[in-house]
Amino acid sequence: MLRFLTAGESHGRGLVVILEGVPAGLALDFDAITAQMRRRQGGYGRGRRMAIESDRAAILSGVRDGQTLGGPIAMQVNNKDWPNWEQTMPVESPPPDAPAANRKPPVSRPRPGHADLAGTIKYARSDLRDILERASARETAARVAAGAVARQLLEAFAIDITSHVIAIGGVTLDAPTVAFETVRALPMDAPLQCVDPDTEHEMIAAIDAARDAGDTLGGTFEVIVRGLPVGLGSYVQWDRKLDGRLAQAVMSIPAIKAVGIGRGPAAAALPGSQVHDEIVLPSKPDDAAPRPFGVVRPTNNAGGLEGGMTNGEDLRVSGYMKPISTLMKPLRSVDLATMTEAEATVERSDVCAVPAAAVVAEAMVSLVVADAFLEKFGGDSVEEITRHVAASATLTRTRLDAAAGTATS
Ligand code: EPS
């Protein structure tokens, strides 16, 4: 339903994304797209590149007078750093007599953990720059641009998305579940987007210590989606299960090594009685109002997904990020040009990018959820989808009323 492709190298002219499947008639807030891209650039522990860039997506197609047209939306994000790399990353081969003063020498010492080694073998390129430029997490700027459009489609149907950081290195937030509103209340400029200031201070200290040691840190984040209708995704076929689709999307973000839904891996160590969310009737009439089908779930360990479908509770997806693989105090490697042991290449990089990865994950979750939303309520225009959503709510209401009638008769 909704698909996108990105293109671009980290130090090329820029990034491009084409997003297809957005229905017509969605009024786009362009500043909100820029705001999402700015969020991705933030977070304590980022490197010097983020001080150079001020990412902005120029929309090239698919939008007229501020509204989507139903056609592919193409967006371009220019790299401000490009003038410094023009001689290293030219599209055309420079003439042999051209001065190469600003051309960076080839990279031949792969960084453990990065795409460098497997990429150079796979694509048969001798300069590792040919690999690392595309493998760089810079590409995620284009994903965030596409995700910002998907997010606006969801917001038009009262679905909201946020995220927060749970752990940096060994410093972990000590809270079983953090409410959507608590996360929403975080200021945009909170350095690590952690809801507890004391834990955040400890996280900052851990990042400082890693930087001083020439090391890097990973961590954990959680994306929360509120306002989802019941039944996005399906149990009937493996590739329609929403948990599987979310896991693939979030795992595709550079450095993400595991994805959890709800309690995630912790559920594996607990008995069923402590994991599954009971189904009860509301104790007060008001309780039933926002819930689907007149029932209440006192807990949400499932993270809003049962049987690969949304169940109307908050969707909770967590991502586990390994430490960034460029270390200022490099690990052992081999110089592939001479086949001698040597320290890995040191490229400019971040010490920690977990808050940025959380923003990218919000974008990926937005794209997957919007895709599933369009599958269920699809239409060519926002107006048509609005009617489908209303019809589905009426059907549920009618069934509920019939069940209530059976109970009282
Ligand atoms: C990134 C841009 C990159 C890196 C980082 C993320 O820019 P540069 O290589 O010029 O410093 O800062 O990428 C990586 C950590 C990586 O391993 O590729 C960005 O825009 O997010």
Side-chain angles (χ1 to χ4, degrees), residues 9 38 90 93 183 213 270 274 306 334:
E9 283 78 40
R38 196 176 312 122
S93 184
V183 176
L270 296 171
Q274 287 176 40
E306 287 173 306
V334 167

PDB file of all heavy atoms in Angstrom, residues 9 38 90 93 183 213 270 274 306 334:
ATOM      1  N   GLU A   9      24.416   8.880  -0.885  1.00  0.00           N
ATOM      2  CA  GLU A   9      25.583   8.556  -0.072  1.00  0.00           C
ATOM      3  C   GLU A   9      25.754   9.622   1.006  1.00  0.00           C
ATOM      4  O   GLU A   9      25.325  10.767   0.819  1.00  0.00           O
ATOM      5  CB  GLU A   9      26.850   8.479  -0.945  1.00  0.00           C
ATOM      6  CG  GLU A   9      26.961   7.198  -1.755  1.00  0.00           C
ATOM      7  CD  GLU A   9      26.074   7.201  -3.004  1.00  0.00           C
ATOM      8  OE1 GLU A   9      25.988   8.255  -3.672  1.00  0.00           O
ATOM      9  OE2 GLU A   9      25.457   6.144  -3.305  1.00  0.00           O
ATOM     10  N   ARG A  38      14.867  17.553  12.353  1.00  0.00           N
ATOM     11  CA  ARG A  38      15.711  18.197  13.360  1.00  0.00           C
ATOM     12  C   ARG A  38      15.836  17.297  14.593  1.00  0.00           C
ATOM     13  O   ARG A  38      16.898  17.179  15.183  1.00  0.00           O
ATOM     14  CB  ARG A  38      15.136  19.555  13.754  1.00  0.00           C
ATOM     15  CG  ARG A  38      16.157  20.424  14.476  1.00  0.00           C
ATOM     16  CD  ARG A  38      15.637  21.822  14.786  1.00  0.00           C
ATOM     17  NE  ARG A  38      15.006  22.466  13.663  1.00  0.00           N
ATOM     18  CZ  ARG A  38      13.744  22.912  13.653  1.00  0.00           C
ATOM     19  NH1 ARG A  38      12.981  22.764  14.709  1.00  0.00           N
ATOM     20  NH2 ARG A  38      13.241  23.488  12.582  1.00  0.00           N
ATOM     21  N   PRO A  90      33.083  12.518  -6.580  1.00  0.00           N
ATOM     22  CA  PRO A  90      32.496  13.042  -7.826  1.00  0.00           C
ATOM     23  C   PRO A  90      31.731  11.938  -8.557  1.00  0.00           C
ATOM     24  O   PRO A  90      32.109  10.774  -8.483  1.00  0.00           O
ATOM     25  CB  PRO A  90      33.716  13.490  -8.633  1.00  0.00           C
ATOM     26  CG  PRO A  90      34.810  12.590  -8.177  1.00  0.00           C
ATOM     27  CD  PRO A  90      34.529  12.290  -6.715  1.00  0.00           C
ATOM     28  N   SER A  93      34.322  10.652 -13.399  1.00  0.00           N
ATOM     29  CA  SER A  93      35.731  10.450 -13.108  1.00  0.00           C
ATOM     30  C   SER A  93      36.503  11.721 -13.458  1.00  0.00           C
ATOM     31  O   SER A  93      36.344  12.261 -14.558  1.00  0.00           O
ATOM     32  CB  SER A  93      36.229   9.268 -13.941  1.00  0.00           C
ATOM     33  OG  SER A  93      37.542   9.003 -13.622  1.00  0.00           O
ATOM     34  N   VAL A 183       5.800  10.527  28.208  1.00  0.00           N
ATOM     35  CA  VAL A 183       6.785  10.635  27.123  1.00  0.00           C
ATOM     36  C   VAL A 183       6.479  11.876  26.290  1.00  0.00           C
ATOM     37  O   VAL A 183       7.375  12.647  25.944  1.00  0.00           O
ATOM     38  CB  VAL A 183       6.761   9.365  26.248  1.00  0.00           C
ATOM     39  CG1 VAL A 183       7.710   9.514  25.074  1.00  0.00           C
ATOM     40  CG2 VAL A 183       7.142   8.145  27.079  1.00  0.00           C
ATOM     41  N   ALA A 213      37.254   7.729  26.682  1.00  0.00           N
ATOM     42  CA  ALA A 213      37.997   6.472  26.479  1.00  0.00           C
ATOM     43  C   ALA A 213      38.121   6.118  24.996  1.00  0.00           C
ATOM     44  O   ALA A 213      38.637   5.052  24.660  1.00  0.00           O
ATOM     45  CB  ALA A 213      37.291   5.353  27.235  1.00  0.00           C
ATOM     46  N   LEU A 270       9.093 -15.128  32.221  1.00  0.00           N
ATOM     47  CA  LEU A 270       7.978 -15.050  33.174  1.00  0.00           C
ATOM     48  C   LEU A 270       6.928 -16.109  32.870  1.00  0.00           C
ATOM     49  O   LEU A 270       6.758 -16.519  31.714  1.00  0.00           O
ATOM     50  CB  LEU A 270       7.320 -13.651  33.073  1.00  0.00           C
ATOM     51  CG  LEU A 270       8.215 -12.464  33.461  1.00  0.00           C
ATOM     52  CD1 LEU A 270       7.523 -11.157  33.093  1.00  0.00           C
ATOM     53  CD2 LEU A 270       8.542 -12.504  34.948  1.00  0.00           C
ATOM     54  N   GLN A 274       1.784 -13.988  34.551  1.00  0.00           N
ATOM     55  CA  GLN A 274       2.325 -12.628  34.753  1.00  0.00           C
ATOM     56  C   GLN A 274       2.531 -11.874  33.437  1.00  0.00           C
ATOM     57  O   GLN A 274       3.005 -10.742  33.435  1.00  0.00           O
ATOM     58  CB  GLN A 274       3.660 -12.707  35.498  1.00  0.00           C
ATOM     59  CG  GLN A 274       3.499 -13.060  36.959  1.00  0.00           C
ATOM     60  CD  GLN A 274       4.852 -13.225  37.630  1.00  0.00           C
ATOM     61  OE1 GLN A 274       5.793 -12.479  37.391  1.00  0.00           O
ATOM     62  NE2 GLN A 274       4.949 -14.235  38.475  1.00  0.00           N
ATOM     63  N   GLU A 306      -1.827  -8.588  19.593  1.00  0.00           N
ATOM     64  CA  GLU A 306      -2.134  -9.994  19.892  1.00  0.00           C
ATOM     65  C   GLU A 306      -2.467 -10.665  18.563  1.00  0.00           C
ATOM     66  O   GLU A 306      -3.256 -10.130  17.779  1.00  0.00           O
ATOM     67  CB  GLU A 306      -3.315 -10.088  20.875  1.00  0.00           C
ATOM     68  CG  GLU A 306      -2.926  -9.669  22.296  1.00  0.00           C
ATOM     69  CD  GLU A 306      -4.095  -9.581  23.263  1.00  0.00           C
ATOM     70  OE1 GLU A 306      -5.071  -8.878  22.941  1.00  0.00           O
ATOM     71  OE2 GLU A 306      -4.049 -10.210  24.332  1.00  0.00           O
ATOM     72  N   VAL A 334      42.689  -5.409   9.696  1.00  0.00           N
ATOM     73  CA  VAL A 334      43.733  -5.752   8.722  1.00  0.00           C
ATOM     74  C   VAL A 334      43.662  -4.737   7.586  1.00  0.00           C
ATOM     75  O   VAL A 334      42.563  -4.412   7.110  1.00  0.00           O
ATOM     76  CB  VAL A 334      43.526  -7.192   8.187  1.00  0.00           C
ATOM     77  CG1 VAL A 334      44.393  -7.462   6.966  1.00  0.00           C
ATOM     78  CG2 VAL A 334      43.809  -8.210   9.290  1.00  0.00           C
TER      79      VAL A 334
END
